[in-house]
Structures are given as C-alpha cells and as structure tokens.
Amino acid sequence: MRHNKSINHLGRQSGHRKAMLANMASSLIKHKRINTTVAKAKALRSYVEPLVTKSKEDTTHSRRVVFSYLKDKVAVTELFRNIAPKVGNRPGGYTRVLHTGFRAGDAAEMALIEFVDFNEAALATAPKAEKKATRRSRAKKQDEAPAAAPAQETKAE
C-alpha cells in the first residue's frame, strides 16, 4: 500500500529524477507542450506548477529560486516574460494532461502535457461555448416581454 507516499520515484534515483524533471520542465516551458508517459506527465505537473506560481512575482529572488530548479537561462526568461503574464490571474491549474493512447514499443500509456492558456485550438472554441444559452435562461423572457407589451397596447386602442 502507498500510504503517505506522495512522490512517484519513476524508477530512478533522486539525482537522475531531479535532472530528468528539470529537463522536461525546461522543454515544456520552451515548447508549451510535450509528449511523454502519463506517470512522468503527472510528476512533471507537480514540479512545474509551483515554479509558475513563483514566476508571477518577477523579483531577483524568485528568478534565482526558479533557476535553481530549471538550470536553464532561456527557460527561466521564457517563463517570466511570456508564461507568467498570461497566467497571472489564474489561481492554479496551469497545465493540462491529455491521455493520447499507448506507445507501440512497450504499450506504455502516453500523455500530452501542455500549458492551458497556450492551446490555440481550445481557446478558439472556448468563446463559442460561453455564448451558448442554458435552458433556463432569463434573456429570452426579457426580450419577449417588451415585444409583447406594445402589441397588446395597439390592440386595446
């Protein structure tokens, strides 16, 4: 049983795991989405999201803290310049893990991990979903009431 085991060790020792997660996080920040296994994607999500939260405050200290995790100047610059301003008002949940099927060689379950605010396909369909009215919408009732009232007044005259 896995009681109180919060970290997935991914079959690696700590130095290898930290280096792998740092490299995957740098790739995710640079490319905005990467394809990997589900276990690595879930481990990466818990590694990257605190870094994005830290990047909302652009100070020298927060840049140094993030650099100590990523060890890549280009990724740190990209995170603070492009990603942090876009997710500044979001309270968390900066990444999305989408299951994509199974790998041909060893049947490992694969996933696509991406930043939520950088998926143009999902952002293009989002406004259409917001305009959709619910069944109990009050907008129709208000529109019909003023239109019906003048018609009744003309009949009364």
Side-chain angles (χ1 to χ4, degrees):
M1 293 213 259
R2 296 191 67 247
H3 294 302
N4 295 328
K5 310 283 191 228
S6 61
I7 297 173
N8 186 353
H9 296 291
L10 301 171
R12 289 158 174 83
Q13 295 194 0
S14 64
H16 184 191
R17 186 173 54 252
K18 287 176 187 175
M20 182 190 66
L21 289 173
N23 288 332
M24 289 176 67
S26 296
S27 296
L28 178 64
I29 290 167
K30 289 177 190 174
H31 302 294
K32 309 300 184 279
R33 69 175 62 171
I34 57 173
N35 194 18
T36 184
T37 62
V38 172
K40 287 180 188 173
K42 288 180 179 180
L44 181 62
R45 178 176 51 192
S46 63
Y47 187 86
V48 166
E49 296 215 0
L51 299 179
V52 176
T53 302
K54 194 69 155 170
S55 71
K56 288 182 181 182
E57 184 182 354
D58 191 2
T59 62
T60 304
H61 176 66
S62 61
R63 280 182 179 264
R64 287 178 176 165
V65 169
V66 170
F67 181 75
S68 72
Y69 283 90
L70 294 180
K71 298 172 180 55
D72 186 358
K73 286 184 182 179
V74 176
V76 172
T77 304
E78 178 76 14
L79 179 64
F80 278 86
R81 281 194 188 156
N82 299 332
I83 295 173
K86 239 182 174 179
V87 299
N89 58 355
R90 184 178 287 272
Y94 311 112
T95 57
R96 172 187 301 133
V97 176
L98 300 170
H99 296 253
T100 57
F102 298 93
R103 188 161 50 197
D106 60 353
E109 194 173 3
M110 300 300 287
L112 180 79
I113 182 168
E114 64 182 1
F115 283 109
V116 174
D117 294 327
F118 288 89
N119 186 352
E120 290 81 18
L123 293 175
T125 59
K128 293 178 184 176
E130 291 177 19
K131 292 181 182 178
K132 195 173 187 180
T134 61
R135 290 181 61 181
R136 296 184 181 213
S137 176
R138 299 183 133 215
K140 285 186 178 180
K141 292 179 183 177
Q142 291 174 353
D143 291 341
E144 292 174 3
Q152 291 174 355
E153 290 175 10
T154 55
K155 288 180 184 177
E157 292 175 2

